Amino acid sequence: MSMASASIQMVERENYLNKHYGVGSWLFTTDHKRIALLYLISITFFFFIGGFFALLIRLELLTPAGDLVQADTYNKLFTMHGMVMIFFFLIPSIPAVLGNFLVPMMIGAKDLAFPRINLLSWYLYIIGGVMMLHCMLTGGVDTGWTFYVPFSTAFSNTKVVEAGLAIFVTGFSSILTGLNFVVTIHRMRAPGMTWSRLPLFIWAHYATSIIQLLGTPVIAITIVLVAAERALHLGIFDPKLGGDPLLFQHLFWFYSHPAVYIMILPAMGVESEIIACYSRKRIFGYSFVAFSSIAIAVFGFLVWAHHMFVAGISVYSALVFSLLSYLVAIPSAVKVFNWTATMYKGSIHYDAPMLYAFGFIGLFTMGGLTGLFLAALGIDVHVTDTYFVIAHFHYIMVGGAVMGYLGGMHFWWPKISGRLYPEGWAKLAALIVFIGFNLTFFPQFILGYVGMPRRYYQYPPEFQVLNVLSTAGATILGVGYLLPMVYFLWSMRYGKPAPDNPWNAAGLEWRTASPPPTFNFDEEPVVTWEAYNYDELKSMPVNEEAPVDR
Amino acid sequence: MTDSPVVAVHGEVENPALLHHFAEPQQQRDAASLGMWVFLGTEIMFFGGLFCAYLIYRRWYFGDWGAASKTLDVTLGATNTAVLICSSLTVVLAVWAAKTARRKLLIGSLLLTLVLGFVFLGIKGIEYKEKFENHHVPGPSFQFNNVKIPGHPDQYANPSHAEIYFALYFIMTGLHALHMIIGIGIFIWLTTKAWEGRFTPDYNTPVEIGGLYWHFVDIIWIYLFPLLYLIDRHP
Amino acid sequence: MAGNVDALYIFLLIVTGLVTLLIFVCLLFFAARFRHRPGVEAEQIEGSTPLELTWSIIPMGVFIVIFLWGAVVYFQERTPPRDATEVYVVAKQWMWKLEHAEGQREINELHVPVGRDVKMIMTSQDAIHSFYVPAFRIKQDVLPGRYTVAWFRATKPGTYHLFCAEYCGTLHSGMIGSVVVMEPAQYEAWMNGGSTGPLSATGEKVFAELGCGTCHRSDETGRGPNLQGLFGKTVQLEDGRTVTADENYIRESILDPGAKIVKGFKPVMPTFQGIISEEQLNALVAYVKSLSAAKPGNAVAAGSTPPPAKASPQGSQVQ
């Protein structure tokens, strides 16, 4: 609802940011957009903690000897880097920030189905985060983020139970977010917003939510079992008492494999939105891209033991899981082909979001293709548990998911903040991130194939050159990540005010003010058009931040 | 804030229970119902991990588990099963009462559900106490020596394998009991609200979805009872 | 065999390289060719089902080829040859203890002759470790409580890295050793330079020390099954199951005798859990295997099952 005096430029329209002031209005909000910003601040905080650990790891690995930190410290560094980045950054990132902000708007709703549960979700995340911080500050944990038994239950002298419980609590945050999205997408769509008119961002988040709902409880119970075993010296996983360490691995990976799809699917959703907008075209093969998200979610639950090919499973099990792993690669490939095809006969603009999108396709393709190596049983025996795997998953999670996250943050920044980010700096940051990323992680593929195992803080001297290259890349990457933090903050005060639809993009979220009013729309939208109606929207306006026609 | 009254499709006047972000009460009801079903799906996955571990070790250590299972009191377990099934009946009555504006029946059914819930927990407490006294609680004080395997009078159960059984027994029934306690909390709240007259034929979603939750907890027990109490029992 | 792995790797490099190139070229070409030009609008193309099917089915076909090739290589990796020389490996935090069947003991080093098949029978004393020799392209997790197996045949003399590849605590990255591949003559010399006799002889001593012979007699009169010729055979259990008497079976029978009672015998064997070390266990397993010496290199857990033997001897009814 706009105030009567909206015609006066100097009076800022009432929007979700300025409607109420005060810490209380933020900490007790039920507005999905404010909750999204609460998440934004929290996950950025944890991103930099995880990044700091990564920096220390890479510094240690500059030299073959273990000379920067002690062995135990190093083991804690890579453990906590993994736990923080996965559970406190990657898994929430796009869904909790962009998803929370945009899902209701994209479907024409006033809020998510359960706004108070949404707030609870954030509080659970914070409680888990505080528990994790406390754990890290009072000794840390050194089991690896995968906390395999029996090391984690019987041999580690660190705070395994506490770290596990932190993740347990945060897991509920993830479950509740997924629950909210599923119910919202089913029940809160505006009149005329049929399933086939939904933006692909929504399809991607729907699929992600299914995984969050079905997978996270399994790691929750696994953590309970590990905690019980450790605290009470039980024998559920201990071979000396009749238990089976492989049971742990099955339970763990049953969640942790689909978890990687929680991390990448939302980024794929972002990718579709950006490519459509900056090519001024509907995504090629809309139905195929939509259903591929669902296919990835479903098949993703069937491949977990490809993390266990050398763990001692039977040859026949391994064959089954290898074959299924190739199956799950197909929908991802389909998406990449469709995005590429979308650009054919498009009208392409090169703003920062599109640069991130290009980076995403390139790096995700490379990361995904290396997955084919890992799914091949004969090769996996050699490269599993080496830097090859590390390179593979960083290509997808950093080259893919983080690029998708940054691209999305840039794309929707005007909507979220009401300001334009500085285009020149954004393009520079995208370039720095791309270069830094490749320099960091490409050498690791080679390192892995020549035999450097993971989780090593000292290594034979012949591995040094590649490690030095990787560390050099990491410092560049770090700069690339700092830049957006700086200029986004800067833009909130000094950036040009953004129009409602700076990119002339399709999607309901662009048909309301930037920033939007608290209840999103002045009137409930009634949808009579297909998604990506760029045939009607036609061209992109001149970007006020980059006046040169791009 | 848009304060104009929402006129729903069928011309009903705004329902005071209608939350602002819903267009009409039916949408709110559907959302709540779907939400609870989805949540119960996650609960199935949560217990599922335990059932998975259970299935594997039962297959491997059937004899030892038979011996361990035999130390549970079938009478108490069966009583508890009957108690929970009755409580599901009272829940169904409560939901029907809410939908048909039968206030006395509603409050009575809710109270009876609570009583049955407490009876369940009480019996469970008795069982746990007995286990504690017999050193069947896993951990440092666990003992399970010289217990014969059912059907194999010359073979003694392996204490370590029995300890795995008891570990899963306590974790599974313990988690179930925790869910019961939460359920009791929910029903205390429902009873209070029912007393205040909050529930009408137009608005009784909390009773319905609270009931769904209770039924789910009941169903989990219906699986737990035979799996835990009836391994290799002979008449 | 490393060559097979590398061949598949190169094939994958080529295939993925080509795909990457294809995507990158398309992207760059489209980005340039369809760059926004004033007055030129994008053409709205809904999609193309034939294209979708093509680029789903063709990749799937390529994937099946890769899968099959990978599966064949994996099968080779996990099927040790029958006559392989055996080395027992015990991994512990943070070292590798190796014992050749001929008796030599090594720590963090494994000497082998070039051209010989070597099979490692491995277990862990504590956490999960992983035996990794990059040069041979082999890796196998080493678990507590059971045996896992890996094998290789070195084709070139030299010294090669041995790494632990499963995180196991503080000195995980210090659990490094080497595999020393020697010419046959050199290896003979090395072998003769000090050994305690074959592992199976050590096992025979342990067998006697622990009094196993009291029940496991070499005729059919013992309270326990006759172990002569047992290894590798199919055993009938009392509960109706049949199992193969492999290393894991022998090991389990010593540590948890009640788990699998042989048909016709009573469950009277005491457990040796906690009384016996991993090295002693390995020695006993080697000894039991030597009792089937008529069939050298019997099948191991991961491999094929031997032809079913006659039913295990009917134990005499004691008392």
Side-chain angles (χ1 to χ4, degrees):
Chain A
M1 157 220 94
S2 42
M3 314 223 295
S5 49
S7 50
I8 303 171
Q9 276 302 100
M10 289 187 305
V11 175
E12 204 179 296
R13 270 188 309 187
E14 186 183 280
N15 58 57
Y16 80 100
L17 287 169
N18 62 23
K19 186 166 160 98
H20 299 292
Y21 287 109
V23 171
S25 75
W26 283 88
L27 291 181
F28 298 110
T29 184
T30 53
D31 179 358
H32 65 101
K33 299 180 290 300
R34 286 194 166 202
I35 294 175
L37 290 189
L38 289 174
Y39 268 110
L40 175 61
I41 297 168
S42 333
I43 65 160
T44 306
F45 172 73
F46 279 105
F47 177 70
F48 282 105
I49 292 190
F52 174 65
F53 290 148
L55 189 63
L56 289 175
I57 291 171
R58 289 283 5 134
L59 282 176
E60 170 64 76
L61 291 175
L62 271 175
T63 61
D67 45 10
L68 182 68
V69 296
Q70 295 183 329
D72 279 329
T73 310
Y74 185 84
N75 295 338
K76 291 178 189 172
L77 284 175
F78 69 70
T79 300
M80 297 186 308
H81 167 74
M83 287 183 175
V84 164
M85 284 305 206
I86 290 176
F87 295 108
F88 295 91
F89 173 66
L90 276 167
I91 286 178
S93 64
I94 298 177
V97 178
L98 294 172
N100 261 329
F101 197 96
L102 295 166
V103 166
M105 294 180 69
M106 283 184 171
I107 64 175
K110 292 203 186 97
D111 207 311
L112 290 175
F114 309 118
R116 287 168 295 189
I117 290 185
N118 199 12
L119 183 66
L120 174 65
S121 200
W122 181 72
Y123 274 108
L124 287 171
Y125 171 87
I126 292 297
I127 292 171
V130 166
M131 288 168 73
M132 194 53 153
L133 279 172
H134 180 261
C135 170
M136 294 192 296
L137 291 170
T138 57
V141 56
D142 72 349
T143 57
W145 84 273
T146 50
F147 57 104
Y148 271 21
V149 303
F151 180 76
S152 61
T153 45
F155 297 100
S156 171
N157 296 320
T158 60
K159 308 194 124 196
V160 179
V161 173
E162 187 169 345
L165 290 177
I167 295 171
F168 182 88
V169 171
T170 308
F172 278 101
S173 169
S174 188
I175 291 174
L176 291 177
T177 300
L179 189 143
N180 234 329
F181 284 177
V182 165
V183 177
T184 303
I185 294 170
H186 272 282
R187 296 277 181 249
M188 315 271 291
R189 284 168 286 126
M193 177 58 84
T194 59
W195 284 91
S196 64
R197 286 178 178 165
L198 285 171
L200 290 164
F201 181 91
I202 299 290
W203 279 99
H205 278 76
Y206 185 79
T208 305
S209 301
I210 301 287
I211 305 176
Q212 283 173 297
L213 288 166
L214 297 178
T216 317
V218 178
I219 189 131
I221 199 68
T222 310
I223 292 172
V224 167
L225 288 172
V226 166
E229 172 132 340
R230 191 172 161 87
L232 301 170
H233 304 288
L234 302 175
I236 303 174
F237 301 123
D238 184 347
K240 291 198 194 63
L241 299 172
D244 184 9
L246 249 51
L247 174 62
F248 168 84
Q249 293 184 30
H250 282 291
L251 288 172
F252 175 84
W253 287 114
F254 186 82
Y255 163 74
S256 300
H257 185 79
V260 314
Y261 299 113
I262 297 177
M263 296 185 253
I264 195 63
L265 273 170
M268 291 172 158
V270 169
E271 186 71 3
S272 293
E273 300 303 315
I274 293 178
I275 292 193
C277 175
Y278 289 87
S279 307
R280 311 308 300 166
K281 287 181 61 183
R282 180 175 170 79
I283 290 284
F284 188 96
Y286 170 94
S287 321
F288 283 88
V289 178
F291 286 118
S292 70
S293 293
I294 306 295
I296 289 173
V298 170
F299 286 130
F301 273 101
L302 304 178
V303 300
W304 74 90
H306 67 217
H307 299 267
M308 296 167 64
F309 286 153
V310 298
I313 64 175
S314 75
V315 175
Y316 306 105
S317 276
L319 286 172
V320 168
F321 281 102
S322 171
L323 184 58
L324 287 168
S325 302
Y326 283 107
L327 218 61
V328 82
I330 302 277
S332 299
V334 162
K335 281 185 196 272
V336 171
F337 297 141
N338 277 296
W339 290 323
T340 308
T342 304
M343 300 196 330
Y344 177 72
K345 294 206 172 155
S347 174
I348 303 173
H349 300 256
Y350 300 116
D351 288 344
M354 190 57 168
L355 293 182
Y356 279 108
F358 272 116
F360 178 101
I361 297 189
L363 298 176
F364 173 74
T365 301
M366 288 173 68
L369 287 172
T370 54
L372 299 178
F373 287 71
L374 290 161
L377 290 163
I379 301 272
D380 189 74
V381 167
H382 177 53
V383 295
T384 193
D385 279 319
T386 68
Y387 264 82
F388 191 93
V389 178
I390 296 185
H392 161 75
F393 64 69
H394 281 92
Y395 259 80
I396 308 204
M397 297 207 290
V398 182
V402 177
M403 297 280 264
Y405 173 71
L406 288 174
M409 284 305 297
H410 285 80
F411 185 56
W412 282 290
W413 185 252
K415 180 60 54 182
I416 293 172
S417 66
R419 305 282 179 156
L420 294 173
Y421 59 82
E423 180 64 38
W425 282 102
K427 287 196 167 85
L428 179 65
L431 191 62
I432 294 177
V433 164
F434 187 80
I435 293 174
F437 174 85
N438 277 301
L439 189 55
T440 309
F441 291 107
F442 194 83
Q444 293 184 8
F445 281 122
I446 306 172
L447 259 180
Y449 201 78
V450 298
M452 179 165 171
R454 54 187 294 196
R455 299 169 167 170
Y456 265 40
Y457 88 131
Q458 59 192 11
Y459 52 82
E462 60 262 34
F463 295 152
Q464 184 170 19
V465 172
L466 290 166
N467 270 296
V468 169
L469 282 174
S470 182
T471 302
T475 49
I476 299 173
L477 189 58
V479 169
Y481 287 141
L482 280 170
L483 280 173
M485 235 202 57
V486 171
Y487 62 66
F488 276 145
L489 280 172
W490 174 91
S491 77
M492 290 186 75
R493 186 97 158 84
Y494 301 108
K496 280 215 179 75
D500 291 359
N501 194 351
W503 323 125
N504 206 18
L508 283 175
E509 75 271 26
W510 299 108
R511 289 174 180 240
T512 185
S514 300
T518 300
F519 296 110
N520 297 339
F521 301 98
D522 292 335
E523 276 174 30
E524 185 186 47
V526 176
V527 179
T528 56
W529 57 91
E530 301 302 311
Y532 308 110
N533 52 335
Y534 286 102
D535 48 342
E536 292 167 0
L537 290 164
K538 303 215 187 299
S539 56
M540 188 176 273
V542 174
N543 183 347
E544 291 174 33
E545 257 302 312
V548 174
D549 183 40
R550 73 270 185 260
Chain B
M1 169 163 355
T2 38
D3 279 324
S4 50
V6 173
V7 178
V9 174
H10 303 291
E12 299 161 46
V13 177
E14 178 178 337
N15 186 327
L18 179 67
L19 295 169
H20 72 273
H21 56 287
F22 288 109
E24 48 171 55
Q26 184 62 38
Q27 188 187 37
Q28 183 171 331
R29 268 197 293 276
D30 288 342
S33 180
L34 179 60
M36 180 49 79
W37 280 106
V38 170
F39 175 70
L40 294 180
T42 71
E43 293 274 45
I44 291 176
M45 296 307 290
F46 189 55
F47 278 94
L50 289 173
F51 281 106
C52 180
Y54 170 94
L55 286 173
I56 291 171
Y57 287 124
R58 175 186 165 134
R59 191 168 183 287
W60 285 2
Y61 304 140
F62 187 76
D64 305 316
W65 276 38
S69 168
K70 231 172 153 192
T71 67
L72 297 184
D73 187 331
V74 164
T75 314
L76 288 180
T79 307
N80 255 350
T81 309
V83 163
L84 276 191
I85 292 177
C86 288
S87 76
S88 270
L89 173 62
T90 56
V91 164
V92 169
L93 282 174
V95 175
W96 180 68
K99 289 190 187 300
T100 54
R102 289 174 160 78
R103 180 189 155 86
K104 280 217 191 70
L105 180 62
L106 170 61
I107 295 171
S109 304
L110 289 173
L111 280 171
L112 199 47
T113 309
L114 279 171
V115 166
L116 290 169
F118 277 115
V119 168
F120 177 90
L121 288 177
I123 295 178
K124 207 83 217 102
I126 294 172
E127 288 183 281
Y128 276 8
K129 180 161 170 288
E130 182 266 332
K131 285 275 143 274
F132 181 73
E133 282 162 1
N134 286 325
H135 294 281
H136 288 161
V137 177
S141 60
F142 180 81
Q143 281 173 26
F144 201 76
N145 304 316
N146 305 322
V147 180
K148 294 205 159 69
I149 293 181
H152 294 79
D154 52 351
Q155 213 177 338
Y156 290 118
N158 180 324
S160 296
H161 300 173
E163 190 170 9
I164 296 180
Y165 167 85
F166 283 110
L168 285 172
Y169 167 79
F170 277 104
I171 295 176
M172 289 167 100
T173 58
L175 262 178
H176 177 262
L178 177 64
H179 282 79
M180 282 291 303
I181 293 170
I182 294 172
I184 286 175
I186 292 173
F187 272 73
I188 290 176
W189 181 82
L190 284 175
T191 312
T192 316
K193 291 297 163 195
W195 183 263
E196 289 169 9
R198 201 42 201 255
F199 302 127
T200 66
D202 279 332
Y203 177 71
N204 48 60
T205 318
V207 183
E208 195 176 312
I209 65 176
L212 268 178
Y213 176 82
W214 191 275
H215 289 310
F216 170 77
V217 179
D218 183 15
I219 290 178
I220 291 284
W221 177 261
I222 290 175
Y223 274 88
L224 288 183
F225 173 64
L227 287 178
L228 290 171
Y229 287 75
L230 303 179
I231 302 178
D232 211 17
R233 293 248 181 192
H234 301 285
Chain C
M1 196 190 57
N4 295 347
V5 173
D6 286 345
L8 175 54
Y9 186 69
I10 291 171
F11 174 71
L12 274 166
L13 277 177
I14 294 172
V15 168
T16 56
L18 285 173
V19 171
T20 311
L21 203 60
L22 175 67
I23 302 276
F24 280 26
V25 162
C26 281
L27 282 176
L28 291 168
F29 176 68
F30 292 167
R33 167 77 181 79
F34 300 109
R35 190 200 169 96
H36 157 74
R37 274 172 261 275
V40 178
E41 272 167 26
E43 192 177 311
Q44 302 299 322
I45 307 174
E46 180 66 27
S48 156
T49 307
L51 200 50
E52 300 281 354
L53 289 172
T54 309
W55 65 37
S56 301
I57 293 175
I58 292 185
M60 193 65 217
V62 175
F63 292 171
I64 300 276
V65 168
I66 302 172
F67 161 70
L68 287 170
W69 190 342
V72 165
V73 175
Y74 184 71
F75 207 76
Q76 289 167 359
E77 284 162 340
R78 289 200 62 178
T79 315
R82 286 188 167 265
D83 294 345
T85 310
E86 292 177 351
V87 176
Y88 287 84
V89 179
V90 176
K92 75 181 272 290
Q93 290 172 323
W94 290 281
M95 65 169 76
W96 298 98
K97 297 192 283 190
L98 302 101
E99 185 152 4
H100 295 249
E102 298 99 334
Q104 294 80 1
R105 292 205 178 137
E106 311 196 60
I107 301 247
N108 290 336
E109 273 195 358
L110 174 61
H111 287 77
V112 294
V114 70
R116 179 102 64 89
D117 293 333
V118 178
K119 178 173 83 179
M120 275 101 34
I121 301 167
M122 312 185 282
T123 186
S124 164
Q125 257 176 254
D126 38 50
I128 299 180
H129 301 272
S130 191
F131 191 92
Y132 177 38
V133 183
F136 301 165
R137 310 286 187 265
I138 60 164
K139 183 186 291 110
Q140 175 61 54
D141 279 8
V142 179
L143 271 56
R146 52 183 278 201
Y147 288 117
T148 53
V149 168
W151 78 277
F152 64 86
R153 178 170 60 242
T155 51
K156 246 176 48 179
T159 304
Y160 305 102
H161 286 301
L162 161 63
F163 294 126
C164 172
E166 184 58 55
Y167 175 68
C168 52
T170 309
L171 282 181
H172 165 62
S173 39
M175 203 162 147
I176 295 183
S178 17
V179 179
V180 181
V181 180
M182 307 166 113
E183 296 289 356
Q186 275 183 302
Y187 180 72
E188 286 299 318
W190 174 83
M191 246 208 346
N192 294 327
S195 111
T196 52
L199 193 58
S200 52
T202 312
E204 193 172 4
K205 282 204 209 80
V206 176
F207 191 85
E209 274 163 28
L210 293 175
C212 312
T214 322
C215 299
H216 292 286
R217 297 153 74 94
S218 43
D219 52 29
E220 309 305 320
T221 64
R223 273 180 232 120
N226 182 0
L227 302 178
Q228 297 285 343
L230 167 68
F231 191 83
K233 294 239 169 56
T234 312
V235 177
Q236 262 271 315
L237 297 181
E238 188 225 21
D239 59 10
R241 290 182 289 164
T242 52
V243 292
T244 305
D246 58 17
E247 282 91 348
N248 275 315
Y249 172 75
I250 306 291
R251 182 200 168 86
E252 185 185 38
S253 302
I254 298 171
L255 296 178
D256 185 10
K260 294 184 172 70
I261 308 291
V262 177
K263 189 170 163 140
F265 290 89
K266 291 207 191 306
V268 294
M269 176 170 169
T271 170
F272 289 84
Q273 175 94 47
I275 305 174
I276 193 172
S277 72
E278 292 292 345
E279 283 85 352
Q280 286 175 311
L281 260 174
N282 290 342
L284 279 175
V285 170
Y287 172 61
V288 171
K289 281 164 98 156
S290 72
L291 297 177
S292 305
K295 280 195 170 110
N298 285 306
V300 174
S304 50
T305 33
K310 60 186 188 300
S312 60
Q314 295 297 313
S316 60
Q317 297 302 311
V318 180
Q319 282 102 346

